Amino acid sequence: MIVVMKPNCSEAAIEHVLRFLEQEGFTGHLSRGVERTVIGVIGSVNVQNPPGKGMITPALGEALEAFPEVEGVFRVSKPYKLASREFHPDDTVVEVPVACVAGGTVRIGGPAVVMMAGPCTVENEKQLMTTAEAVRKAGAVILRGGAFKPSTSPYGFRGLGEEGLKLLAKASREFGMAVVTEVMTPADVPLVCEYADILQIGTRNMQNYMLLDEVGRAQKPVLLKRGMAATIEEWLLAAEYILSQGNRAVILCERGIRTFEKSTRNTMDLSAIPLVKQLSHLPIVADPSQGTGRRDLVAPMTLAAVAAGCDGLLIEVHPNPEVALKDGAQSLTTEQFAELMPRAEAVAQAIGRSFV
Ligand code: E4P
Ligand code: PEP
């Protein structure tokens, strides 16, 4: 349920509604838009609640409608509430401090498109520094790189752990880029927060609810990848976990889903980009590397994702993909990445946007 307050309503009136909700066993989540303040009402299915407490009912709507500065009360038909457009009609813009840009802040979800690039995996200092320098020179402003790596096989490379995080932080200092890196367990969230600017939740963990709760309590933006077998609704419900813990800085990432098609590693669902924009206020970026699994398809799918309206890209780049410890087949060379950037910029310009 959402409560729409009257334009220019007083702070006291907002506070009054929030206090009423709390007394009745609900949580009120505030969304201050350009025109209106909206309060999302989240019930609580808690076995310790007395019967009826915390349950959204028509009587609750009627009680809220009686508040003098409430304009209207509406049921949100979707199972996700805080992630829905109804709750937050304006686009959410996630701000990330980035030293290499003028003004020192990158806004993901605003008019500009944001390039995040780097190696799939941090392998060693030389590989990371070479890649970071090249992608920065070509125009990327956020450095990607895995220190804690998911691996289908237990014998595959699983990342350098904290050593990898330290190298990412070093590259970040050297090139002024922000860092996005994956966190795989709730216990690692504080550690990864020390080094990362954006916490990445990988496809395999999109429905790891304890992890979603934990990053929801963290004070860092979260890049939430789509589960490889997740519907858009399941994905937005995963985002809802993070939002409902109080973290509003959620960035969605379309990275392809499993289908019967075997010629690509995943089927990149480009229609998810404009569809998510309709359903949700959250920014959405695209990962054409995981989305295709094929270096030759990364550039065309990058251009297509920009044309479809994505707010950013996450692209794997390696100085020598032939010897990459992970995902070499889908990693661009530094030269290929540099060639791609002006083409992506041209598509962005064609739809009235540009890259940061
Ligand atoms: C992402 O970078 C993953 O770690 C990687 O794609 C996993 O690949 P795998 O499933 O072959 O181990
Ligand atoms: C990654 O980007 O490093 C990664 C592991 O991707 P995904 O979770 O999409 O497979």
Side-chain angles (χ1 to χ4, degrees):
M1 179 175 281
I2 57 172
V3 180
V4 180
M5 302 300 290
K6 289 189 174 153
N8 307 318
C9 73
S10 65
E11 285 302 312
I14 296 172
E15 205 35 55
H16 193 190
V17 174
L18 290 174
R19 246 183 297 116
F20 169 76
L21 290 172
E22 198 181 310
Q23 277 158 17
E24 296 299 311
F26 301 93
T27 314
H29 293 260
L30 262 193
S31 159
R32 291 179 196 272
V34 182
E35 309 215 327
R36 293 257 194 292
T37 293
V38 173
I39 301 173
V41 182
I42 302 295
S44 134
V45 187
N46 184 339
V47 284
Q48 272 141 24
N49 279 351
K53 195 96 173 162
M55 279 178 57
I56 299 205
T57 58
L60 175 72
E62 282 162 25
L64 286 163
E65 264 166 356
F67 281 66
E69 293 193 55
V70 167
E71 183 161 277
V73 177
F74 305 93
R75 295 292 294 232
V76 178
S77 52
K78 315 272 181 348
Y80 47 87
K81 313 290 176 194
L82 306 178
S84 71
R85 261 289 167 205
E86 285 104 314
F87 170 62
H88 195 289
D90 301 324
D91 288 345
T92 282
V93 175
V94 174
E95 296 200 338
V96 182
V98 180
C100 67
V101 300
T105 302
V106 158
R107 306 177 82 238
I108 304 171
V113 188
V114 179
M115 180 57 82
M116 315 180 193
C120 162
T121 305
V122 180
E123 297 172 5
N124 55 60
E125 183 164 347
K126 186 160 183 283
Q127 169 249 14
L128 180 65
M129 293 297 168
T130 308
T131 315
E133 183 174 18
V135 296
R136 173 66 207 113
K137 200 164 154 219
V141 289
I142 298 182
L143 177 64
R144 63 142 294 142
F148 292 99
K149 289 305 299 180
S151 174
T152 304
S153 161
Y155 310 120
F157 186 55
R158 296 171 70 181
L160 295 176
E162 188 172 3
E163 190 47 39
L165 295 176
K166 286 184 179 161
L167 291 175
L168 284 165
K170 186 168 182 192
S172 160
R173 284 193 300 274
E174 185 113 355
F175 302 107
M177 301 171 82
V179 165
V180 55
T181 194
E182 181 159 353
V183 57
M184 291 177 60
T185 69
D188 285 338
V189 171
L191 174 74
V192 178
C193 279
E194 279 178 41
Y195 298 94
D197 300 288
I198 304 176
L199 305 172
Q200 178 172 321
I201 301 295
T203 191
R204 294 160 180 80
N205 273 318
M206 189 208 82
Q207 285 179 313
N208 180 339
Y209 300 121
M210 309 295 257
L211 181 59
L212 298 177
D213 278 343
E214 197 59 35
V215 298
R217 290 187 281 265
Q219 308 291 314
K220 292 274 174 174
V222 177
L223 183 140
L224 177 66
K225 290 211 166 187
R226 181 176 181 179
M228 60 181 86
T231 63
I232 288 176
E233 186 170 289
E234 288 163 344
W235 186 19
L236 291 174
L237 280 164
E240 188 84 6
Y241 266 82
I242 303 170
L243 297 167
S244 62
Q245 289 295 335
N247 190 342
R248 298 292 178 84
V250 177
I251 306 153
L252 300 166
C253 177
E254 163 59 39
R255 49 79 68 204
I257 47 175
R258 282 276 171 86
T259 66
F260 54 79
E261 180 53 67
K262 289 195 286 189
S263 17
T264 48
R265 187 180 187 190
N266 293 292
T267 297
M268 196 165 162
D269 182 6
L270 279 178
S271 64
I273 297 169
L275 183 52
V276 161
K277 289 263 169 212
Q278 285 175 26
L279 298 173
S280 177
H281 52 91
L282 297 172
I284 177 163
V285 305
D287 178 344
S289 308
Q290 303 291 345
T292 62
R294 291 175 49 154
R295 189 177 314 135
D296 60 334
L297 299 182
V298 170
M301 292 311 276
T302 298
L303 305 182
V306 175
C310 71
D311 296 302
L313 289 131
L314 190 69
I315 296 185
E316 291 182 348
V317 181
H318 196 286
N320 184 0
E322 303 309 318
V323 299
L325 293 180
K326 258 191 139 49
D327 288 356
Q330 65 195 39
S331 298
L332 295 183
T333 63
T334 51
E335 294 79 14
Q336 286 170 327
F337 181 74
E339 281 162 22
L340 172 60
M341 277 304 286
R343 298 175 65 210
E345 176 66 40
V347 176
Q349 302 257 341
I351 58 160
R353 298 178 86 177
S354 67
F355 273 80
V356 171

